[in-house]
Structure formats: structure tokens, C-alpha cells
Amino acid sequence: MTAKKSRKKRYGMKVEEPVYVTMRDGVRIACRVYRPDAEGAFPVLFAASPYQVKTDDLPHSTLFLWREVGPVEWYVRDQGYAYVHMDVRGTGQSEGVYNFLDRAEQRDLYEAIEWTARQDWCDGNVGGIGQSYYAWTQWFMGIENPPSLKCIAPYDGAVDIYRGTAYHGGIYCDFMPWWYQHVRVNNLHRAANDPGGKDMPLDIAGEISRRQTYDDWWRERCAWERLDEIRVPVLTIGHWGKMGLHLRGNILGYEDVKAPTKLVVTGAKDVFEAHDQFDHVSYHETELLPFYDRYLKGKKNKWEDRPDVRLYVNGRDEWLEADKWPLKRAKYVPFHLSRRTSGSVASLNDGSLTTDTPPANGGATSYDYPVPDWKLGTVVMGQQGPDPVRGTLTFTTPPLEKDLEVVGPVILELFVSSTCTDAEFFVKLADQLPQSDEDRKKGLQPAFVTVSKGWLRASHREKDADRSTDYRPVYTHTNPQPIEPGEIYRLEIEVMPMAHLFRAGHRIRLQIVNGDSALTDAIFTHQYSWYKVGTDTIHHSAKHPSRLLLPVISGRKRKKK
């Protein structure tokens, strides 16, 4: 331990549980209150989720992904904050029926925060804290605008659960029903079958599965449509590796909140790195404590002087600072899809990605699905194990002659046709590393890093004109229309924003297929539906120039190692 961490704590800590707060309809909401064991009043950090305050007692471990409250004891003992952790309605020790971020749960946040501010141990200043679901509730804390709320810091938090989490591009994702069943079991089950757990009777997993389009049920739970109602300062922290769940939300939060807002996107590569980071005192000390100290304690710590945007650039492994997102100096460079082979990877076609203008006879690339060799989704078993590339279409650049830094939102324009009345497009953008001739001759696949993903279901191609921008197509998802077999359609696919340096000698690879796999895509995967049998064609001629638009920045030199 460092000397700083081993010093004597400033305060003892009192823990009170359960503390009940009665809502407007008589339902009692349970909280656990942590506060300094000292005279006086303190600012409060407020957290709310369906994950039960009892899980605060778990050890810091990525095994327990729902333990997302941060270092509570450090905030209380070392920094002089009280901390209130609330079981949302119908979960943990709270009364009522859980209904997944509905209006009742949102209003409870307002009342519980104002109750907190009235306690003699609170100085009237409350800030939101927490990761994932705790970030979802923070967006709604801000939208509800209780007078005592002074700031929120949603770490890893979607704002549009339909588009960002449950139906990527209109395609059903397995994660949310899986997640809800885990929450139900955690609330209900106890050691030795102790009957003291909380039943959560509503079939929310069924609601998610049934509601295939964006309707009023989703709209009620969508913070995105109401972000302009937030009046308090916001620190929104996302992670490039959480592109299937929260990344889009943290960036949209920065773009659409009108109150003072700063954006940080870290280099966390996956769920586990993002979770682990939030557990560490050192991270809070650097990134979150200065924010809370500024707005909850009024400290003059030059918080406002920090850049509005801080992005970790993977590949460069450095931070980039800016005063705006997207970066003004990013210039979109088109990379066209081509049927020319790259000779660098084993896939269904091994096509190329080029900055050359496509010729009139550029042709098209087709594939029949399902591919006979696919296992558990669109993965082929190769000599290196599960191979997520071999059974997909790929379009790969030649080795880059110089470093290429890509920072910002990405768009893929595809001209497509199908033998079916619908088609699904799963897009991956990868940094393909150099490979030796010896390994290439052995048939081994080159090493690569997936840097972004995108999705779109062709029947969900109706754009939302009010929300779409030059750098992000947004779809209504309210009016699915079948496609005519054989007819060519132009689709714009939103590929998740990124910050990545493709090094000289590396290649940029685009993958396209109509599915993914739990073997290679972790927990944000999609069921391969029974009706996906047919042939899709991607056109890439002068008349139908399918292309990838990458926001490229220049002028930065890479630090020498």
C-alpha cells in the first residue's frame, strides 16, 4: 500500500440499514446510508439500482458485475461525503413492483433525493454516482431535476436503451432479457433457499422481446429524448470497449445535454476492464473526486479549466484533448469496397478496401447464408479455434504506408440487394496486424483488434430526419418495411464512434455478415433467427459505390517508445 492509502482515516463511518423513505403513493423505498461518524452536515453521493444494497458487501471483483457503486468507504472515511444507496421500487428491501425505469421509478428518484437533502447529516448538496444501471438512473435524476441535485456523473450509461442496447439497428439483442433474468434471480434467491428474497413478478424480458419497434413503452424509458431538461453539470464517462451497451449513450449525453458537460472516453477494452477501473480509488481520485468537490463542496479546483473532451486513443495509447465532439479537424475519408482480393486473410471473399474511385465494372459480392461451416452463430472452427472472420465477407486495405488516426463517428454506406424480404448487416471494423509469410502460408489468420461495430436491419431503414446528422444516421424503428427481393437499396449504417491509431504496416479491415456469435462476441450477441436463409449482395461499382467513411485527423506525431 502507498503511504497515502495507509494514512489514518479522517472519519469513522456509520452505516444505517434499512432506512425507509415513503413515496407519494405510500410505497416505502429502502436505502442504506453511509455517513461520517462526526458532528455536522456533509454533501451526499446518491446511487440507485435494482441490484440490492446488500451487494455493497461483496468483494471488489469483476465476477460481481452488478457491484457498481465505487469505493464507498473511501468517499465517506477519507473524503467526508455521505453516501446513500437506494434499492429502486420493487427490488432489494423496497416495497412496490419493479417496472424497469418507468415513470414511477423516475419520480422516486426525485423524492428520495429531496428526502436525503432534508436530513440533518446532509448539507443540502446531492450528486449522482455509479456505473451502468446506476448511470441510467443518474440521467433520470438530472431529467427530474430535484432542487437539491447539484451534479451527475453517469459512468458507462446508455440513454436510449432500444437503439443502444436492446435492438441494435432494429436487430434483437440477447443481452437485456438475459440481464433481467439475472436480476430476478439475484433478488429472489438466497443461501440455503432462505425464503427472504424479493419476487419481481413482471415479465420485463417478455416485454422487451415483444416490443420489436420503438413504441411508447420504450419512449417512457428513453432518457435521450429528454436530455435537454437536465440543468445540472454532467461528467459523462464512456469506454470504447462498451460499444454494444453504453458507449453510444455517454457520447449522446455529451452532445445533447445543454448544461455544462464534460466527456471522457477511456481505453477500457471490455465490460471487465470498465468495471475494474470504477472499483479503484486511484481512478476516482483522478477523474471523479475533483468533479464532486467542485459542485458539491464548492472547491476552487480549476475543474472548469479541464478540457471538455478527453479521449483515449487506442493504438497510440495516449490521451487526446479537445474542446468539442466530434472533432472539428476530423476530415472524412472514403474507403471504397472492392472485389479485388487482398491476399491477407481467409474469408468468404477476401475483398479489398481502397481509396480509389470504383470503376464502372466494379461488380458486386454475394454470399449464401447460413454458411454450412457456421457454429453457434456465424463462427467457423479453424485450426486456431473459433474463427469469427473465416465465415464472413471482408474488405481489407493494403498495408498502410503511414500512420492513420481515426477519431469520431463512422458511417458505412452500402448498396445492397437480397433474395429475401429483409436482411441484417453486422459490421465490424478491425485493425489487422502484420503477418509473416510463414504464418500466411500455414493458413493462419492474422492477429487483429476489433475497434468498432455497427448494425442495421434493412426493414428498419426509415430515417429520423429530425435526429439524423451528417455524421450519424438515426432510424425511427417505428415503421418497418420489407425490401423487394432483387432491388438495390442504399443503406447508411451507424458504426460506433472510435478513437484509434492504425499504425503504418497495419491494415484496416471491414467485416460484414448477418450475425455474430457468443463464442467470440462476449455478452452483447444476437440470436441467429430461423428466417435468415437466402443470399445477400453488396454492390461496389461506380453506380453503386459502397464505402466506409472514416474521420481522419492529421498533424500529430506518435511518441517514441
Side-chain angles (χ1 to χ4, degrees):
M1 295 179 69
T2 65
K4 191 169 186 178
K5 291 182 180 179
S6 62
R7 75 180 193 275
K8 185 178 179 181
K9 304 294 184 182
R10 291 175 59 195
Y11 299 100
M13 184 171 72
K14 287 185 176 180
V15 181
E16 300 169 292
E17 178 203 6
V19 177
Y20 285 102
V21 184
T22 303
M23 299 291 106
R24 61 213 166 274
D25 56 0
V27 169
R28 297 191 308 157
I29 298 297
C31 299
R32 180 185 283 186
V33 176
Y34 306 84
R35 56 190 179 91
D37 187 6
E39 295 296 324
F42 301 88
V44 175
L45 300 175
F46 190 93
S49 85
Y51 298 149
Q52 309 174 85
V53 298
K54 292 184 179 297
T55 62
D56 293 358
D57 301 327
L58 291 169
H60 291 235
S61 168
T62 53
L63 178 63
F64 303 121
L65 288 175
W66 54 89
R67 191 199 180 285
E68 298 169 322
V69 291
V72 176
E73 187 172 345
W74 174 77
Y75 274 111
V76 177
R77 291 184 181 274
D78 287 289
Q79 303 305 323
Y81 284 89
Y83 195 118
V84 175
H85 185 182
M86 165 183 153
D87 286 337
V88 300
R89 179 178 293 242
T91 69
Q93 299 176 78
S94 289
E95 299 174 352
V97 176
Y98 176 70
N99 198 14
F100 183 48
L101 292 170
D102 66 347
R103 288 278 191 252
E105 184 177 327
Q106 295 167 32
R107 191 61 185 174
D108 290 346
L109 297 169
Y110 181 107
E111 296 187 18
I113 287 171
E114 287 307 295
W115 173 89
T116 297
R118 292 193 299 268
Q119 306 311 299
D120 58 10
W121 40 262
C122 176
D123 67 5
N125 296 299
V126 180
I129 191 170
Q131 178 182 6
S132 193
Y133 198 105
Y134 296 89
W136 291 349
T137 54
Q138 284 185 75
W139 293 120
F140 284 111
M141 290 177 202
I143 289 167
E144 289 293 319
N145 275 306
S148 303
L149 184 72
K150 299 302 189 295
C151 63
I152 58 173
Y155 179 101
D156 214 13
V159 295
D160 177 3
I161 296 173
Y162 178 90
R163 293 175 180 85
T165 303
Y167 282 88
H168 297 135
I171 302 167
Y172 170 75
C173 178
D174 297 329
F175 173 73
M176 287 300 295
W178 173 86
W179 163 84
Y180 180 60
Q181 184 58 21
H182 274 66
V183 174
R184 295 177 87 177
V185 169
N186 283 350
N187 270 269
L188 183 60
H189 289 196
R190 294 292 183 269
N193 291 337
D194 184 329
K198 170 77 67 176
D199 184 26
M200 299 166 68
L202 295 186
D203 183 16
I204 292 170
E207 293 291 335
I208 290 170
S209 301
R210 283 191 292 273
R211 297 181 181 277
Q212 301 173 56
T213 57
Y214 184 70
D215 59 10
D216 287 342
W217 191 88
W218 289 110
R219 186 169 289 107
E220 180 179 348
R221 294 158 175 82
C222 180
W224 189 26
E225 296 195 4
R226 302 177 63 196
L227 290 178
D228 60 354
E229 299 175 32
I230 295 176
R231 300 287 181 265
V232 298
V234 178
L235 171 60
T236 171
I237 303 176
H239 314 278
W240 297 126
K242 295 293 288 289
M243 62 196 79
L245 180 59
H246 292 309
L247 170 64
R248 186 175 184 271
N250 285 108
I251 291 175
L252 289 173
Y254 172 78
E255 292 179 6
D256 288 1
V257 171
K258 306 305 181 188
T261 302
K262 294 188 187 297
L263 170 67
V264 175
V265 185
T266 83
K269 297 178 179 61
D270 53 31
V271 174
F272 306 103
E273 283 194 13
H275 185 279
D276 181 67
Q277 185 171 263
F278 198 68
D279 271 346
H280 288 282
V281 165
S282 59
Y283 185 80
H284 287 258
E285 198 165 32
T286 301
E287 296 290 349
L288 287 127
L289 182 64
F291 174 71
Y292 292 131
D293 279 352
R294 169 65 184 87
Y295 293 110
L296 298 179
K297 292 187 176 181
K299 287 188 176 181
K300 304 300 183 183
N301 57 9
K302 297 185 178 181
W303 170 261
E304 290 88 346
D305 295 342
R306 290 194 178 197
D308 284 352
V309 176
R310 292 178 60 242
L311 312 169
Y312 190 83
V313 182
N314 290 307
R316 183 183 283 278
D317 298 328
E318 296 173 16
W319 287 92
L320 183 154
E321 297 180 349
D323 59 2
K324 189 177 181 181
W325 169 275
L327 274 62
K328 296 177 183 177
R329 59 194 177 99
K331 305 298 182 185
Y332 278 92
V333 176
F335 288 79
H336 291 93
L337 282 63
S338 169
R339 64 184 173 186
R340 294 199 300 267
T341 58
S342 79
S344 69
V345 65
S347 67
L348 295 178
N349 66 317
D350 185 25
S352 291
L353 204 57
T354 174
T355 54
D356 296 339
T357 302
N361 63 348
T365 300
S366 300
Y367 79 108
D368 302 328
Y369 51 83
V371 172
D373 292 336
W374 281 350
K375 313 291 183 188
L376 191 61
T378 58
V379 161
V380 173
M381 300 304 293
Q383 57 179 306
Q384 296 159 283
D387 187 337
V389 180
R390 195 174 299 268
T392 72
L393 301 180
T394 61
F395 299 89
T396 311
T397 67
L400 297 174
E401 294 181 0
K402 58 182 180 180
D403 289 355
L404 189 74
E405 190 165 8
V406 179
V407 181
V410 177
I411 297 176
L412 176 62
E413 297 177 357
L414 288 184
F415 289 86
V416 303
S417 59
S418 179
T419 60
C420 303
T421 57
D422 205 351
E424 295 180 1
F425 297 90
F426 288 62
V427 175
K428 293 181 183 177
L429 195 59
D431 182 343
Q432 183 172 300
L433 279 60
Q435 185 182 40
S436 68
D437 291 338
E438 181 181 359
D439 283 349
R440 183 81 241 131
K441 290 175 182 177
K442 290 179 182 178
L444 300 177
Q445 295 282 40
F448 68 93
V449 177
T450 299
V451 297
S452 191
K453 296 181 180 181
W455 308 264
L456 185 63
R457 191 174 184 182
S459 60
H460 284 239
R461 64 193 178 276
E462 181 181 82
K463 289 177 70 173
D464 184 331
D466 293 332
R467 286 194 171 273
S468 293
T469 68
D470 292 341
Y471 55 84
R472 179 183 296 110
V474 177
Y475 294 90
T476 65
H477 300 293
T478 60
N479 184 35
Q481 295 292 321
I483 59 176
E484 290 291 332
E487 184 174 334
I488 298 176
Y489 295 84
R490 176 181 175 275
L491 302 179
E492 281 187 303
I493 299 177
E494 176 190 6
V495 181
M496 291 298 102
M498 57 184 288
H500 190 87
L501 179 73
F502 295 88
R503 294 175 180 263
H506 291 213
R507 299 172 185 253
I508 301 172
R509 187 180 72 216
L510 175 69
Q511 280 178 243
I512 304 172
V513 73
N514 70 343
D516 54 20
S517 172
L519 289 174
T520 54
D521 290 276
I523 57 178
F524 308 119
T525 53
H526 308 74
Q527 179 176 326
Y528 195 91
S529 301
W530 62 271
Y531 50 79
K532 292 199 288 189
V533 178
T535 302
D536 288 351
T537 300
I538 297 173
H539 303 262
H540 35 66
S541 64
K543 185 177 181 181
H544 300 112
S546 293
R547 60 182 188 164
L548 178 69
L549 295 169
L550 295 181
V552 175
I553 65 172
S554 58
R556 294 212 303 156
K557 292 184 178 180
R558 188 157 31 111
K559 289 182 179 179
K560 293 182 179 180
K561 298 293 186 183

